[in-house]
Amino acid sequence: MSLLLAISGWDAEPWRKRFAALLPGRALVTPETLVDRAAARYAIVWAPPRGLLAELPNLEAIFSLGAGVDAILSDPNLPDVPIARVVDPDLTARMGEWVVLHCLTHLRQARRYENQQRERVWADDDDQAAAADVRVGVLGFGELGRDAAGKLAALGFPVAAWSASPKTAPGIACFDGPAGLEAMLARSDMLVCLLPLTASTRGILNAALFAKLPRDGRLGGPILINAGRGRLQVEADILAALDSGVLKGASLDVFEIEPLPRESRLWRHPAVFVTPHNAAISRPDSIARAIAAQILAHERGEPLRNVVDRGRGY
Ligand code: NDP
Ligand code: OXD
């Protein structure tokens, strides 16, 4: 019996070490060292090569090392076994930090003061907006959206959130479905996106959506903040909206192509903050422990937790 560790784009070694310590006595193989395909019972993956998992006839479960599973589900030959994704307090907390950081960055005009410092200009803002003046809309009210929305509300932002199914939460205005989206956009001076990438969300952050955001908000134009997935956004539309003033600013952690190509104008647009898809990293310590516990529980006959609904795509 073996565990296949298929990780691309991240350093696999810390994961290998953690799993070797947590599940001693199990053979840990990689796509390069995989010889006995029939022995592989579990696959632990991040962006695995397409077709690889279909070659494992006795696979019982796939464990994603990330919260988003779009890269796994994009494999047309994915075997019909459960996929468990990451739901991890550490990852959730990091995403909350990133969202709060970027909402405050735009609220408190961080770029303006960075530029002023560079030029040694002493000029204050005599019309400073407060969090209470700036309405935030959060697209996606799942594990990450709920935590970020709660942190923003605690800072005094009036927060709304949008999900596929109806939700309620104290202090948060909840919207759902297509009609709910229109209503939420109309009251979003800052739009935070924490949606998964699925057939229904691909390209949702586009010119038509930006046109529905209010232009008369306290910041002088809407702000887009996306840490969901790059293919949720149409980057040409974001740049056009920033150039025309339909958007006032943006913070982007994820991109249509990653790494963001050097020639992308997003790198040097004065109203854009770019981070390298690290809003919330997967830390081997906590996540490997949770996956090892899931494997042991599965072997005791207990159900897997955080199983992806393939029909919904997340
Ligand atoms: P969840 O599955 O917990 O939440 C997803 C939310 O999106 C749910 O509220 C869901 O609605 C909503 N949703 C999905 N599809 C639609 C739709 N068509 N219309 C309206 N709402 C929709 O996911 P997480 O919160 O754990 O993670 C969200 C995403 O964040 C991940 O999929 C991943 O892409 C990204 N991510 C990015 C990271 C980074 O570092 N940049 C790190 C980790 C994750 P409902 O509640 O009704 O199901
Ligand atoms: C994730 C990510 O999905 O890091 O966990 O993007």
Side-chain angles (χ1 to χ4, degrees), residues 6-303:
I7 300 177
S8 49
W10 294 354
D11 180 7
E13 189 50 18
W15 294 98
R16 196 200 57 73
K17 278 195 185 135
R18 294 307 298 148
F19 283 109
L22 288 160
L23 296 168
R26 316 247 177 164
L28 267 178
V29 296
T30 65
E32 295 73 35
T33 59
L34 175 68
V35 178
D36 184 0
R37 287 174 159 67
R41 260 170 87 184
Y42 307 108
I44 300 172
V45 304
W46 178 250
R50 286 187 178 193
L52 172 71
L53 301 172
E55 293 172 4
L56 312 175
N58 296 315
L59 192 66
E60 288 178 27
I62 299 167
F63 296 95
S64 168
L65 291 177
V69 290
D70 45 288
I72 299 173
L73 295 178
S74 69
D75 184 340
N77 299 314
L78 200 60
D80 187 16
V81 299
I83 304 164
R85 73 183 189 100
V86 165
V87 174
D88 174 57
D90 176 74
L91 182 140
T92 301
R94 278 151 197 276
M95 182 59 85
E97 291 165 5
W98 187 91
V99 170
V100 166
L101 170 71
H102 285 275
C103 288
L104 291 178
T105 289
H106 292 278
L107 175 72
R108 299 304 298 263
Q109 306 183 67
R111 180 69 40 90
R112 168 183 165 174
Y113 292 111
E114 190 182 280
N115 292 337
Q116 284 189 192
Q117 181 176 349
R118 191 175 307 111
E119 302 303 323
R120 302 182 209 182
V121 171
W122 185 275
D124 74 0
D125 174 9
D126 53 14
D127 188 27
Q128 195 175 83
D133 303 328
V134 176
R135 299 160 298 175
V136 182
V138 181
L139 297 171
F141 200 41
E143 295 294 331
L144 303 182
R146 192 173 276 267
D147 181 77
K151 286 175 173 155
L152 293 170
L155 283 170
F157 288 101
V159 180
W162 182 64
S163 50
S165 55
K167 298 276 185 313
T168 54
I172 313 277
C174 293
F175 296 88
D176 62 88
L181 178 60
E182 302 276 317
M184 195 188 79
L185 294 175
R187 47 88 62 226
S188 296
D189 302 315
M190 290 189 190
L191 187 68
V192 174
C193 180
L194 291 172
L195 286 167
L197 178 65
T198 68
S200 25
T201 60
R202 183 178 298 271
I204 189 170
L205 302 175
N206 59 32
L209 179 142
F210 303 148
K212 293 174 185 158
L213 295 168
R215 303 281 293 284
D216 57 354
R218 193 63 176 69
L219 298 179
I223 305 291
L224 172 68
I225 298 178
N226 182 22
R229 279 289 181 267
R231 290 186 189 272
L232 295 166
Q233 71 200 16
V234 180
E235 286 167 14
D237 289 5
I238 294 177
L239 282 162
L242 287 166
D243 292 344
S244 67
V246 167
L247 284 177
K248 173 97 189 300
S251 288
L252 306 173
D253 183 58
V254 287
F255 301 91
E256 288 175 7
I257 299 173
E258 294 179 5
L260 179 63
R262 283 184 66 80
E263 60 276 16
S264 170
R265 207 152 63 79
L266 290 169
W267 280 115
R268 50 182 206 284
H269 196 291
V272 178
F273 291 82
V274 167
T275 54
H277 195 148
N278 70 347
I281 58 164
S282 290
R283 284 184 58 202
D285 272 358
S286 48
I287 291 172
R289 204 174 325 113
I291 292 176
Q294 285 253 64
I295 290 175
L296 296 175
H298 168 76
E299 292 178 352
R300 290 192 300 269
E302 296 168 23

